[in-house]
Amino acid sequence: MEILTWTYILVGLSFAIYIGIAIWTRAGSTKEFYVAGGGVSPLANGMATAADWMSAASFISMAGIISFSGYDGSVYLMGWTGGYVLLALLLAPYLRKFGKFTVPDFVGDRYYSNKARVVAVVCALFISFTYVAGQMRGVGIVFSRYLEVDINTGVIIGMCIVFFYAVLGGMKGITYTQVAQYCVLIFAYMVPAIFVSMQLTGNPIPQLGLGGTVADGTPLLDKLDGVLTELGFAAYTSGRKEMVDMLAITLALMVGTAGLPHVIVRFFTVPRVKDARLSAGYALVFIAILYTTAPAVAAFGIYNAIDTVAEKPVDNLPEWVGNWQKTNLIVVEDKNGDGIVQYVADKKTNELTIDKDIMVLANPEIAQLPNWVVGLVAAGAMAAALSTAAGLLLVISTSVSRDLFRTFRPEMSEKKELRIARIAAGGAVVLAGYFGVNPPGFVAEVVAFAFGLAAASFFPVIIMGIFSSRINKEGAITGMVSGLVFTMAYIIYFKFISPEMNNAGHWWFGISPEGIGSLGMLLNFVVCYVVSKATPAPPQHVQDMIEEIRIPRGAGGAVEH
Amino acid sequence: MLDNKQKMKAYWKKNLQTLFFLLLVWFTVSFGFGILLVEQLNNFKFGGFKLGFWFAQQGSIYAFVILIFVYVYRMNKLDKEFDVNEK
């Protein structure tokens, strides 16, 4: 069968499963809508968290980024997994014990202030919107590349699917759909990786294949280092970034991960505190399967690309090069007219430009795998994008219905709140779709924002709210605002106002805008602490609450208002 | 009541000790081995990997997974010991 037929079958089948699950698990109450009734098993929640967390960027782009940055790409691998240790040890169990539905809920109650709650809602909305626009775009790209429909039609189809199951099923529907989506995406990621690893190194496990040897007996990574340095690039296994920037980016990504509202909220869905701990462990296992495979895919991809294309005659390139040239993801340009493709570091004489996304997307074709594998990768990329989009939409709708409406209209009936939550989810889908069709030019730039903001705003006040009973609302609000303003100002300055200054020479302490969230976080901690010391301690009932959340016993289901 | 309060204090202290130890390992494998000491560790080979590179792209992630499960095990034991576990 043709690739296109396979893609239609596999993507269609996966969509049918998601919709079936959504109908089967519709939410009937706000509790089911927000936290799936608090009855999800730790294993299922771990899987759902993994799907929620791994976005189109993780699935499609991450391996390619590592292909072209080698060792420097480690910041993403460590940053986006190490955050789960923080989440499991410092946040998840206590927030589960606290037992409400959202992050702003915690901030508002712990700091006995609606002002603090509103600041938290604004952060949550901003982070989620930034993220969701990128996912919708990812959906559109997959549609246009694999199903050969217009990119805008692709976004609209994706919107309808997400709308259907997020609005209908709420968290309950999303959770079980995400379990299915995880299975689809991990299978789609692993199958080509295993085949390529076999072909290149003879080892079926990509994690080991990365340390394996190629046909002539030299280790793959040594060979890659040699080839790249010969072409004028930096060696694959050595870094180009300054060490201080590596540290700052890794920290910002870790702390940002732990502070992302759509990830945190997943730990409200399990029945007990000990389930929250265990669930974080399962989540990381499921994430680690992809994240330890990605560096292998990265190295195999760049090795294969150079091996099959560089120094080869222009009119006799492998078939996949031709296929992907149509999408402009790979560009061959015989500048000096010698009929041979030169791939070198010098931009002026380089004749081969490879887009980072190709490393995952074209993987099955490079390895000459059967057509169904190509269709599978398309279904996997869709699963990754849709699951993340749905999780984010839920945070947006919850923020609006619960954190805004409920706070200012506590007498509202549950039925009405549920209706507002659904309308908000619908509105968010439409808005996200709009950004998917008309992407603001700065989508890629604002991702640094989302992590920086989560790191500089939520993380410190949640941690301090749990581990110190002395921190009060004055401290929390000034801390959040100063962390936020500082981080935003730094990113806006270097990304939008003076992009020409965006280099190590002008950065503070050599820290790039990607890593500035870690400084913002420190600032938040310091301001929060100092201001709290100078103002009165929190009231007794808040101090009692802190004592209470530190002890697992008595968690019960998520508390109704 | 006072007795209970002291017990909870002791529980919390043990909890913090566990966290401190685990976070120390967390920091060492990622920031330590993966970034700060990467050059030195790269002088050693681990199969086909340079050791520092392996920690940055593989080892630290495995260590993170193990850390969380050690935490789960330790805390479940601690909860039982102090009789604050969930039924």
Side-chain angles (χ1 to χ4, degrees):
Chain A
M1 262 193 284
E2 289 283 304
I3 288 183
L4 196 63
T5 324
W6 271 116
T7 310
Y8 270 106
I9 294 176
L10 288 169
V11 172
L13 202 66
S14 64
F15 280 6
I17 295 173
Y18 308 152
I19 291 175
I21 293 173
I23 294 173
W24 172 52
T25 55
R26 318 187 275 293
S29 66
T30 48
K31 193 175 162 188
E32 284 189 345
F33 193 89
Y34 294 146
V35 294
V40 180
S41 84
L43 188 70
N45 187 53
M47 231 181 239
T49 309
D52 203 331
W53 168 237
M54 292 190 286
S55 60
S58 292
F59 190 94
I60 302 173
S61 309
M62 190 174 65
I65 294 174
I66 301 168
S67 283
F68 294 106
S69 60
Y71 165 77
D72 286 352
S74 314
V75 294
Y76 302 105
L77 295 166
M78 289 190 283
W80 285 337
T81 52
Y84 276 84
V85 177
L86 300 177
L87 199 57
L89 271 55
L90 303 177
L91 302 175
Y94 308 107
L95 290 175
R96 176 63 197 84
K97 177 65 194 296
F98 167 70
K100 292 241 181 112
F101 299 147
T102 65
V103 175
D105 258 344
F106 176 79
V107 174
D109 283 14
R110 165 62 183 83
Y111 296 110
Y112 47 99
S113 150
N114 277 343
K115 226 184 263 161
R117 188 189 300 259
V118 171
V119 174
V121 173
V122 172
C123 296
L125 286 176
F126 189 88
I127 294 167
S128 305
F129 265 117
T130 309
Y131 238 85
V132 85
Q135 300 307 318
M136 281 302 173
R137 192 72 191 159
V139 171
I141 289 172
V142 172
F143 262 110
S144 68
R145 259 178 226 164
Y146 286 104
L147 302 178
E148 295 178 6
V149 297
D150 176 54
I151 193 161
N152 294 345
T153 320
V155 171
I156 291 166
I157 299 174
M159 261 170 65
C160 295
I161 303 277
V162 176
F163 181 83
F164 190 77
Y165 70 74
V167 173
L168 193 67
M171 186 56 127
K172 203 172 156 206
I174 288 175
T175 302
Y176 293 105
T177 331
Q178 281 171 338
V179 171
Q181 281 161 336
Y182 177 78
C183 298
V184 173
L185 83 86
I186 201 69
F187 189 65
Y189 202 83
M190 296 307 292
V191 167
I194 289 170
F195 276 112
V196 176
S197 181
M198 282 276 267
Q199 288 175 350
L200 219 52
T201 66
N203 196 324
I205 301 167
Q207 286 84 346
L208 300 178
L210 179 60
T213 51
V214 288
D216 67 0
T218 32
L220 172 81
L221 288 167
D222 292 353
K223 182 105 183 173
L224 202 49
D225 279 349
V227 171
L228 284 170
T229 35
E230 217 170 275
L231 297 174
F233 296 94
Y236 192 78
T237 56
S238 60
R240 282 139 270 182
K241 280 192 168 79
E242 289 295 320
M243 191 178 275
V244 62
D245 199 27
M246 287 286 288
L247 291 170
I249 296 177
T250 308
L251 184 64
L253 293 177
M254 282 183 179
V255 173
T257 302
L260 285 177
H262 70 286
V263 175
I264 293 178
V265 75
R266 290 238 49 105
F267 295 95
F268 291 85
T269 64
V270 292
R272 293 170 302 179
V273 172
K274 70 190 234 199
D275 298 326
R277 296 175 188 144
L278 186 60
S279 193
Y282 283 135
L284 189 58
V285 170
F286 294 129
I287 292 167
I289 296 174
L290 192 145
Y291 271 63
T292 52
T293 306
V297 172
F300 299 156
I302 189 76
Y303 180 86
N304 262 335
I306 295 175
D307 195 45
T308 51
V309 184
E311 297 303 320
K312 295 281 175 321
V314 174
D315 45 13
N316 190 23
L317 292 171
E319 201 191 329
W320 65 269
V321 178
N323 290 346
W324 288 87
Q325 260 181 311
K326 287 180 211 145
T327 60
N328 276 332
L329 284 186
I330 187 163
V331 179
V332 178
E333 190 187 357
D334 190 12
K335 285 177 187 159
N336 57 7
D338 65 352
I340 306 281
V341 184
Q342 269 95 24
Y343 180 57
V344 287
D346 185 356
K347 283 207 172 70
K348 275 193 213 110
T349 51
N350 178 39
E351 301 178 348
L352 176 68
T353 319
I354 310 170
D355 187 275
K356 59 185 181 355
D357 291 352
I358 218 167
M359 292 302 167
V360 168
L361 296 176
N363 215 353
E365 288 162 77
I366 298 175
Q368 297 173 332
L369 301 180
N371 287 347
W372 63 268
V373 181
V374 182
L376 190 66
V377 170
M382 293 295 295
L386 289 178
S387 56
T388 307
L392 290 161
L393 288 171
L394 193 82
V395 170
I396 294 171
S397 78
T398 312
S399 300
V400 173
S401 65
R402 184 176 171 82
D403 298 329
L404 290 180
F405 274 81
R406 171 66 65 188
T407 305
F408 298 105
R409 283 215 188 148
E411 75 289 349
M412 178 169 64
S413 77
E414 189 181 311
K415 225 174 148 184
K416 192 162 174 215
E417 188 180 332
L418 192 58
R419 196 160 65 231
I420 292 176
R422 286 198 161 118
I423 294 171
V429 175
V430 174
L431 196 60
Y434 172 81
F435 283 125
V437 175
N438 305 300
F442 47 86
V443 164
E445 271 76 29
V446 288
V447 172
F449 246 148
F451 279 93
L453 292 186
S457 60
F458 283 141
F459 186 78
V461 294
I462 301 177
I463 293 284
M464 302 242 267
I466 297 164
F467 289 87
S468 160
S469 51
R470 182 63 183 76
I471 302 299
N472 56 23
K473 70 171 175 195
E474 289 84 358
I477 295 173
T478 48
M480 267 198 287
V481 171
S482 51
L484 203 67
V485 170
F486 168 77
T487 309
M488 273 180 116
Y490 194 86
I491 297 178
I492 290 176
Y493 180 77
F494 281 113
K495 290 278 187 185
F496 302 110
I497 298 178
S498 305
E500 75 283 354
M501 304 263 281
N502 191 7
N503 56 54
H506 296 100
W507 295 337
W508 288 7
F509 313 109
I511 296 177
S512 61
E514 278 84 21
I516 200 64
S518 24
L519 271 195
M521 174 193 79
L522 290 181
L523 182 71
N524 186 338
F525 269 123
V526 171
V527 170
C528 189
Y529 183 79
V530 171
V531 172
S532 294
K533 278 277 173 197
T535 41
Q540 192 57 43
H541 75 271
V542 171
Q543 301 203 18
D544 291 344
M545 181 189 112
I546 299 164
E547 297 282 302
E548 188 56 33
I549 59 170
R550 291 178 176 181
I551 302 160
R553 180 167 288 174
V559 189
E560 294 293 337
H561 9 268
Chain B
M1 197 56 210
L2 193 72
D3 216 26
N4 196 34
K5 232 181 178 157
Q6 264 160 1
K7 202 177 91 181
M8 285 311 116
K9 256 203 176 129
Y11 169 77
W12 189 243
K13 204 174 151 199
K14 282 229 161 143
N15 180 5
L16 293 182
Q17 279 167 356
T18 309
L19 292 183
F20 179 77
F21 169 74
L22 293 173
L23 289 177
L24 198 67
V25 178
W26 166 82
F27 181 86
T28 311
V29 292
S30 52
F31 294 97
F33 296 162
I35 300 178
L36 291 167
L37 299 172
V38 70
E39 294 291 327
Q40 287 84 336
L41 289 178
N42 274 346
N43 293 326
F44 300 96
K45 274 283 201 173
F46 178 69
F49 292 104
K50 289 176 179 166
L51 189 58
F53 181 84
W54 181 79
F55 265 106
Q57 300 213 334
Q58 296 275 313
S60 55
I61 302 176
Y62 300 133
F64 295 153
V65 172
I66 296 167
L67 280 176
I68 297 185
F69 283 99
V70 170
Y71 170 73
V72 171
Y73 174 77
R74 288 279 310 232
M75 288 310 285
N76 283 347
K77 227 169 98 179
L78 201 62
D79 289 351
K80 277 210 189 94
E81 201 180 308
F82 282 85
D83 191 32
V84 291
N85 58 321
E86 298 152 290
K87 299 291 179 302

